[in-house]
Amino acid sequence: MHRRRRTALSVSAALVAAAPLLAACGGQPHPGAAAVVGKDRITVAALQTQVNAVREAQNKSPQAAEMIRSSNNLSGMKLGNMIFDRVLARAAEDAGAKVTRKDIQDARAQLVKQAGSEQRLQQVYLQQNGIAPGQIGQALQEQVTATKLAEKLGASLGTPQGQSAVLQAMTKTSKAMGVDVNPRYGVWDVRKSQLGAYKTPWITQVTKEQAAPSAATGA
């Protein structure tokens, strides 16, 4: 998906969907794996399950054709999210950032209130983020974790400084864990923070000067 996620909800930057800055490594063959993060294999089957859930939800919508057309690299997006889950969890753990079930519930309640209903929230996530209803919980887990990680690093995720700090932490963590992507899905571009042609949209225009420290770290 090349377009930025623009939600009809006035969601704070702290709750905008996040995506990782990861360093590709390895290159060793892993049969049946879409990617390997540390010792954790992300299988092609698991990735396809994520993609199928989104396509099924999209096909039930009157805007099915438009949504499918705008998410033509859904596999890349989902794989990026799945890798992000693992790297973010480790980065947050290393920084001492903890997320409780209540944190997730509160975040969802806030978004439902802004959307006007749970159904509308699901529509927004599907239409603009390519996230199926059953995947919203995990997306919120990522969002809140990224927010708390930024806070642990002394910044706010809603600022370029906070985003840059999180990117640096993600780079350090991904290097330590090791991220090996199946060439079928592309490679991680550390400077652009994207997998192949899929552009991660969570960073709100961090300037080159602000991004420079994280880029240097990931070089």
Side-chain angles (χ1 to χ4, degrees):
M1 235 188 309
H2 292 273
R3 60 189 181 123
R4 287 189 176 276
R5 298 173 182 171
R6 298 185 182 280
T7 174
L9 312 179
S10 300
V11 184
S12 66
L15 290 178
V16 174
L21 178 70
L22 299 169
C25 70
Q28 298 179 356
H30 298 281
V36 178
V37 183
K39 297 180 179 179
D40 190 2
R41 295 174 77 252
I42 300 175
T43 66
V44 173
L47 172 59
Q48 194 58 48
T49 296
Q50 292 276 313
V51 172
N52 290 344
V54 175
R55 291 301 188 216
E56 181 179 353
Q58 289 175 334
N59 281 321
K60 293 179 181 178
S61 170
Q63 293 80 37
E66 179 183 352
M67 285 191 288
I68 292 173
R69 184 168 55 251
S70 65
S71 58
N72 61 340
N73 190 24
L74 187 57
S75 293
M77 183 186 76
K78 286 301 175 185
L79 181 56
N81 289 344
M82 294 172 80
I83 296 173
F84 172 62
D85 287 346
R86 291 148 177 81
V87 178
L88 177 63
R90 176 68 64 81
E93 180 181 354
D94 291 346
K98 297 182 180 180
V99 176
T100 67
R101 180 175 297 182
K102 186 176 185 303
D103 291 331
I104 307 303
Q105 293 173 338
D106 289 346
R108 187 161 193 153
Q110 177 185 346
L111 293 181
V112 169
K113 183 177 180 180
Q114 291 175 351
S117 69
E118 174 69 26
Q119 182 179 13
R120 176 57 183 155
L121 178 67
Q122 292 179 7
Q123 291 173 347
V124 170
Y125 265 85
L126 180 63
Q127 292 174 358
Q128 302 185 19
N129 298 333
I131 295 175
Q135 298 170 349
I136 293 177
Q138 183 57 47
L140 288 174
Q141 174 80 33
E142 295 173 1
Q143 295 160 18
V144 176
T145 301
T147 298
K148 291 209 167 189
L149 175 56
E151 291 172 353
K152 275 291 184 179
L153 297 173
S156 168
L157 190 64
T159 66
Q161 293 78 11
Q163 293 162 10
S164 181
V166 170
L167 289 177
Q168 291 182 62
M170 297 297 288
T171 300
K172 179 180 178 181
T173 301
S174 63
K175 280 186 172 183
M177 295 180 73
V179 179
D180 190 3
V181 180
N182 186 323
R184 168 184 175 185
Y185 301 99
V187 295
W188 284 106
D189 186 324
V190 176
R191 292 184 180 277
K192 294 182 179 180
S193 189
Q194 68 183 48
L195 171 62
Y198 170 65
K199 296 182 179 179
T200 53
W202 74 291
I203 304 173
T204 57
Q205 297 296 326
V206 179
T207 66
K208 291 182 179 180
E209 291 76 15
Q210 291 163 329
S214 58
T217 303

